[in-house]
Amino acid sequence: MNRKFLVIGGSGFVGRRLLEMAPAGLSICSTGASRKTGIAGIEERLLDVTDADAMTRIIDDTDPDVMIFLAKSSAFDADAGPFELAFESLVRTMRERGTRFVYLSTDAVFDGLRGMYDETDAPNPLRSYGKWKRFAEEAVLDTLSSAVVIRTGLIYGRNGDGFDKRTRELLDAVSSGCPVVRFVDAFRSFAFVDDLSAAIWNLSDSDFSGIIHIAGPRMGFLDYSRRLVAAFGFDPALVTEQDGDAPEGFARDTSLDTALAKNVLGFEPTPLDRF
């Protein structure tokens, strides 16, 4: 059977790479807030994810077997209400239709007080983005027993549009000889977009349900940046230590334990020097 996929947020950085890595033979419709990717073989539509009626029309038109939700909205920064109402309506629709649901979440649901969080650790987000993601996680898990919630870290890599924003800015700086400063007391699990995209497709086609972490090993911002610029042939000494500690309200260490992903998927992150 030709399974039908609806990818919400396919025009974003992760979404585009996910579509580029799509397995052959799938019927895929993708949405974007304001633009399309132009990837051959993908049906594309524009969608405001706060518009519950528009979301329902696309679902009715495409009748997906699997929905992959990657989208975010700036609406939660000012007024999360419309986004929350639309999202709650969406997950209820997924339950009524029996659609498999894969939701991309974030390490920002954690407060960063200790790091190496596993899937059983209680979220405690510090900022609005993490609070929205926690709300969405709970809406999905409370409503859809077969859904997958994928938490990931800071994402790097490239797609058909080029590098992710952080990598592009870092390489632009060092290529012009400008020094870059990074905190020494801040840690993340940086996620290679190809690893994440492959895991999303694998989980979409699996029987797994619940929360799973997909990311690279724990690494400091300073070490990560130095390794990345060295991988592109630049002098890592151009990345220097930031004086002082990370600012108050900044989650110091939201690194993720990925033991479950290794057990379920055989997941092994790509080494940074192969980027």
Side-chain angles (χ1 to χ4, degrees):
M1 182 179 69
N2 184 16
R3 302 182 75 203
K4 294 178 289 186
F5 286 75
L6 178 56
V7 179
I8 306 297
S11 65
F13 177 71
V14 175
R16 181 181 178 105
R17 189 61 183 142
L18 181 78
L19 297 177
E20 291 169 351
M21 295 178 60
L26 301 182
S27 175
I28 302 173
C29 178
S30 172
T31 74
S34 60
R35 64 190 181 98
K36 300 178 180 181
T37 67
I39 297 173
I42 305 294
E43 178 188 354
E44 297 190 84
R45 303 189 187 188
L46 299 181
L47 173 69
D48 175 357
V49 292
T50 67
D51 187 337
D53 290 338
M55 181 80 75
T56 298
R57 287 194 295 271
I58 287 180
I59 293 169
D60 288 342
D61 288 348
T62 59
D63 190 25
D65 300 297
V66 182
M67 175 181 283
I68 301 173
F69 196 99
L70 310 173
K72 66 176 183 178
S73 171
S74 59
F76 61 75
D77 289 327
D79 180 10
F83 203 3
E84 292 179 353
L85 289 173
F87 193 81
E88 288 177 327
S89 175
L90 170 64
V91 294
R92 288 195 298 269
T93 299
M94 295 296 94
R95 180 182 61 193
E96 293 165 2
R97 300 178 72 101
T99 306
R100 181 156 174 79
F101 193 80
V102 179
Y103 179 73
L104 183 62
S105 189
T106 172
D107 60 351
V109 299
F110 296 115
D111 55 25
L113 295 180
R114 64 174 180 80
M116 293 306 292
Y117 294 95
D118 68 24
E119 289 82 358
T120 65
D121 288 317
N124 183 34
L126 300 180
R127 297 187 174 182
S128 61
Y129 176 65
K131 291 175 182 177
W132 152 247
K133 286 292 191 176
R134 181 185 183 186
F135 163 83
E137 284 189 4
E138 291 175 347
V140 170
L141 296 170
D142 290 347
T143 308
L144 302 169
S145 60
S146 63
V148 181
V149 171
I150 301 171
R151 292 192 188 126
T152 193
L154 292 184
I155 302 165
Y156 71 94
R158 70 181 98 186
N159 61 24
D161 288 333
F163 293 111
D164 64 283
K165 181 180 179 181
R166 293 184 188 90
T167 298
R168 184 175 66 251
E169 291 176 347
L170 176 62
L171 295 179
D172 285 348
V174 296
S175 64
S176 62
C178 296
V180 177
V181 294
R182 293 288 187 265
F183 291 112
V184 297
D185 65 335
F187 301 86
R188 294 290 185 271
S189 292
F190 296 88
F192 183 37
V193 69
D194 286 27
D195 291 343
L196 178 60
S197 297
I200 291 171
W201 286 121
N202 287 338
L203 287 163
S204 298
D205 197 36
S206 75
D207 294 327
F208 178 84
S209 61
I211 302 170
I212 190 166
H213 292 172
I214 304 292
R218 179 181 184 268
M219 194 177 299
F221 276 87
L222 180 66
D223 187 27
Y224 164 78
S225 298
R226 285 177 170 172
R227 291 190 189 191
L228 187 60
V229 300
F232 283 88
F234 296 104
D235 183 358
L238 287 169
V239 183
T240 59
E241 297 182 8
Q242 173 75 50
D243 292 334
D245 297 332
E248 184 177 353
F250 180 86
R252 189 184 67 83
D253 186 349
T254 58
S255 53
L256 299 173
D257 184 319
T258 58
L260 178 61
K262 183 173 183 178
N263 183 50
V264 171
L265 299 174
F267 176 73
E268 293 287 352
T270 300
L272 188 59
D273 60 4
R274 297 183 191 173
F275 169 35

